Amino acid sequence: MNDKTIVYQRFMIPGEAEALQQLLQQNNIGCLVKTISSGLDGNFAGSYDKDYEVRINPLDRAVVDGLVAQKVREDITKLPKDYYLYTFTNEELMEIIHKRDEWNALDYQLSLLLLQERGVEINKETIQLAEKKRIAELKQPEKVSRGWLFAGYLFACMGGLVGVVFGYILYSSKKTLPDGRVMYRYSNADRSHGRIIMIFGLTVIFMLWVLTLVSGD
């Protein structure tokens, strides 16, 4: 595929991304699954979480929407009567509508159906407003705690690769908005800290390497 693709949906579970990829391939729709960083892990230890993006040609979006909707309608009829969404309150179902990017297509469509059956009006304007509000929320940079920044500088001072990796992730991590736009995950201030931590860590590693060579002579 060319570079002019857009993110159709992001998943936390690789199997869900692969299932959508298989559906599209069965219908001769070009797509690709891209593994990306979802940012610093809450228990950072030199690794970070991964998300899985399904990317498509923007010209295929309407067709893909139709295929997914048809598949979801088929899947809903096969759901057990004790499926967990049936116990959700209207407020909880509206939360799914608002945070569509965090849920799979089946749960999203089922939430719309359940709300309509309960007499809650969900029209096109409501959905568009929810999407705009969600994008505005996601556009805000994520904040890194002072504790993690201190740990990053500490690791860098110790000459460990952990500090370098921490700084690199903090400086370079990006996120994709539901509308396909890509932006840096962290604020400019935190990214500056990440750049300093990364450079400082590399400098310390280089100095330790030089000292090792000198002492070896």
Side-chain angles (χ1 to χ4, degrees):
M1 298 186 67
N2 58 42
D3 295 333
K4 297 180 180 180
T5 59
I6 61 170
V7 177
Y8 181 76
Q9 193 167 355
R10 174 182 285 191
F11 301 91
M12 297 178 65
I13 301 174
E16 293 181 349
E18 293 169 359
L20 177 55
Q21 182 185 38
Q22 183 179 10
L23 173 65
L24 299 183
Q25 290 176 342
Q26 289 174 346
N27 289 273
N28 299 316
I29 302 295
C31 68
L32 60 87
V33 176
K34 184 178 180 181
T35 303
I36 61 171
S37 162
S38 62
L40 294 175
D41 189 355
N43 299 304
F44 179 79
S47 63
Y48 46 95
D49 289 339
K50 295 179 180 179
D51 284 344
Y52 305 88
E53 290 180 347
V54 177
R55 305 184 69 92
I56 63 171
N57 187 314
L59 299 178
D60 293 331
R61 186 179 185 98
V63 177
V64 174
D65 284 342
L67 289 173
V68 171
Q70 179 181 351
K71 182 66 168 58
V72 167
R73 286 193 294 268
E74 295 173 357
D75 291 342
I76 288 178
T77 62
K78 303 174 185 177
L79 290 176
K81 294 182 179 180
D82 60 350
Y83 191 67
Y84 71 103
L85 278 191
Y86 291 128
T87 64
F88 275 33
T89 64
N90 289 353
E91 290 74 18
E92 291 171 328
L93 294 175
M94 284 300 301
E95 183 76 3
I96 296 176
I97 304 304
H98 180 64
K99 297 183 177 180
R100 179 178 182 176
D101 56 289
E102 295 182 357
W103 297 82
N104 59 47
L106 187 148
D107 287 343
Y108 176 77
Q109 293 295 335
L110 180 58
S111 297
L112 287 174
L113 179 62
L114 291 176
L115 287 169
Q116 292 171 356
E117 290 179 349
R118 296 175 185 181
V120 179
E121 183 179 359
I122 303 293
N123 52 36
K124 185 177 180 180
E125 288 72 23
T126 302
I127 294 175
Q128 290 177 339
L129 179 60
E131 291 176 348
K132 289 181 179 179
K133 288 183 177 180
R134 181 58 174 165
I135 290 175
E137 291 175 0
L138 294 175
K139 283 176 62 178
Q140 300 302 313
E142 299 176 18
K143 184 66 177 175
V144 179
S145 68
R146 291 185 178 181
W148 277 120
L149 289 177
F150 175 80
Y153 279 107
L154 180 62
F155 285 130
C157 290
M158 295 170 62
L161 285 175
V162 172
V164 176
V165 174
F166 180 96
Y168 174 76
I169 294 173
L170 187 57
Y171 175 71
S172 63
S173 286
K174 297 180 180 181
K175 59 183 177 181
T176 304
L177 302 181
D179 60 3
R181 284 181 292 170
V182 179
M183 61 182 298
Y184 284 109
R185 182 175 296 273
Y186 302 106
S187 67
N188 289 335
D190 287 338
R191 291 185 64 238
S192 295
H193 281 293
R195 184 172 181 271
I196 295 172
I197 291 171
M198 179 175 58
I199 295 175
F200 186 59
L202 289 172
T203 302
V204 172
I205 291 174
F206 176 75
M207 293 176 62
L208 290 174
W209 176 71
V210 171
L211 288 174
T212 302
L213 290 179
V214 172
S215 62
D217 295 337

